[in-house]
Amino acid sequence: SQQGEEDPQALSIQEGENATMNCSYKTSINNLQWYRQNSGRGLVHLILIRSNEREKHSGRLRVTLDTSKKSSSLLITASRAADTASYFCATDSTQVGSEKLVFGKGTKLTVNP
Amino acid sequence: DSGVTQTPKHLITATGQRVTLRCSPRSGDLSVYWYQQSLDQGLQFLIQYYNGEERAKGNILERFSAQQFPDLHSELNLSSLELGDSALYFCASSTRARVSGNTIYFGEGSWLTVV
């Protein structure tokens, strides 16, 4: 079963607007990562946030993590048409024997020019 | 370009057949992961190898098997194929054995269509 669940499933915005995607997960985690996938292509790592971190920035990306709510958000500022892709959160659990990276079903972002 | 190479890119085969997907990890990476991506199941972890040994197992069917060779390339064997096995199969690699805190790098995937 999926560990992370992204919300919304799909998001359509205009170029220049900000895009916010959320991820909720079920078990305690060590780290949470965000990946991007262009249609039919491989996933590309965007950013990793550790369980003891609350916020992290990378260029136009801002990730927050709230371990008490078991949720994370990915904010893309000043979006561009090239940001159109699916975005996935991935978690690795603290549970012994569950050492694998589990992906959510993703948010499909469309940025309209 | 992630540095992870997968072949073939596309494959069409009939039900009941067997196929082998091949993966070359990034130079220096010892871990190889296989994932299956389908519309209904999303991205499912299948199996991980580290330096030739099976490291972690996910939702891999008994009809599927994998191995990692001494040169670190890996193969995923899918047998007795069913229509539901149609999916995009990804290989990924990383440097360390532990996935925790480790970035994994994905190949472009192998599209498998079972007809």
Side-chain angles (χ1 to χ4, degrees):
Chain A
S1 64
Q2 299 298 113
Q3 159 77 313
E5 289 188 9
E6 289 88 346
D7 166 54
Q9 287 187 332
L11 180 61
S12 182
I13 60 173
Q14 295 299 122
E15 212 166 20
E17 294 180 341
N18 295 341
T20 299
M21 289 159 271
N22 303 297
C23 167
S24 59
Y25 55 91
K26 295 173 186 163
T27 64
S28 294
I29 61 169
N30 292 311
N31 307 278
L32 186 144
Q33 304 185 41
W34 285 90
Y35 284 79
R36 164 197 168 123
Q37 182 183 31
N38 285 4
S39 181
R41 305 290 301 275
L43 280 77
V44 175
H45 178 259
L46 294 176
I47 195 165
L48 179 151
I49 186 165
R50 303 190 188 282
S51 59
N52 61 355
E53 295 177 313
R54 292 296 165 258
E55 188 171 313
K56 205 160 183 181
H57 297 255
S58 176
R60 294 184 296 112
L61 305 181
R62 173 179 168 249
V63 168
T64 62
L65 179 64
D66 187 335
T67 52
S68 66
K69 294 181 180 176
K70 292 188 170 58
S71 68
S72 172
S73 68
L74 171 67
L75 168 68
I76 303 175
T77 59
S79 64
R80 305 166 183 168
D83 294 328
T84 294
S86 291
Y87 292 82
F88 296 85
C89 67
T91 55
D92 61 88
S93 169
T94 58
Q95 288 182 342
V96 173
S98 294
E99 222 183 84
K100 54 188 178 184
L101 202 57
V102 179
F103 288 80
K105 289 204 169 183
T107 291
K108 188 169 183 179
L109 173 67
T110 303
V111 181
N112 301 299
Chain B
D1 182 7
S2 67
V4 179
T5 304
Q6 288 187 248
T7 57
K9 287 188 171 28
H10 299 272
L11 191 56
I12 301 174
T13 191
T15 53
Q17 294 298 305
R18 172 191 168 94
V19 298
T20 297
L21 309 180
R22 182 189 166 99
C23 169
S24 293
R26 288 188 327 153
S27 177
D29 283 358
L30 298 178
S31 270
V32 168
Y33 310 79
W34 286 98
Y35 280 84
Q36 178 195 58
Q37 186 177 37
S38 60
L39 279 174
D40 54 344
Q41 293 292 320
L43 200 63
Q44 296 282 329
F45 168 70
L46 296 179
I47 198 163
Q48 177 199 359
Y49 279 82
Y50 178 76
N51 204 20
E53 299 290 325
E54 184 183 303
R55 164 84 181 170
K57 211 165 187 175
N59 304 324
I60 188 165
L61 299 173
E62 283 192 13
R63 300 182 285 109
F64 296 178
S65 65
Q67 54 185 325
Q68 186 179 28
F69 295 88
D71 68 352
L72 301 176
H73 91 270
S74 178
E75 292 181 354
L76 179 67
N77 300 296
L78 315 174
S79 61
S80 302
L81 285 167
E82 302 173 359
L83 295 177
D85 297 327
S86 295
L88 184 52
Y89 290 85
F90 285 110
C91 171
S93 73
S94 66
T95 51
R96 305 198 307 259
R98 293 200 65 202
V99 73
S100 181
N102 203 5
T103 298
I104 64 174
Y105 296 87
F106 281 79
E108 291 295 307
S110 292
W111 282 97
L112 173 66
T113 303
V114 182
V115 296

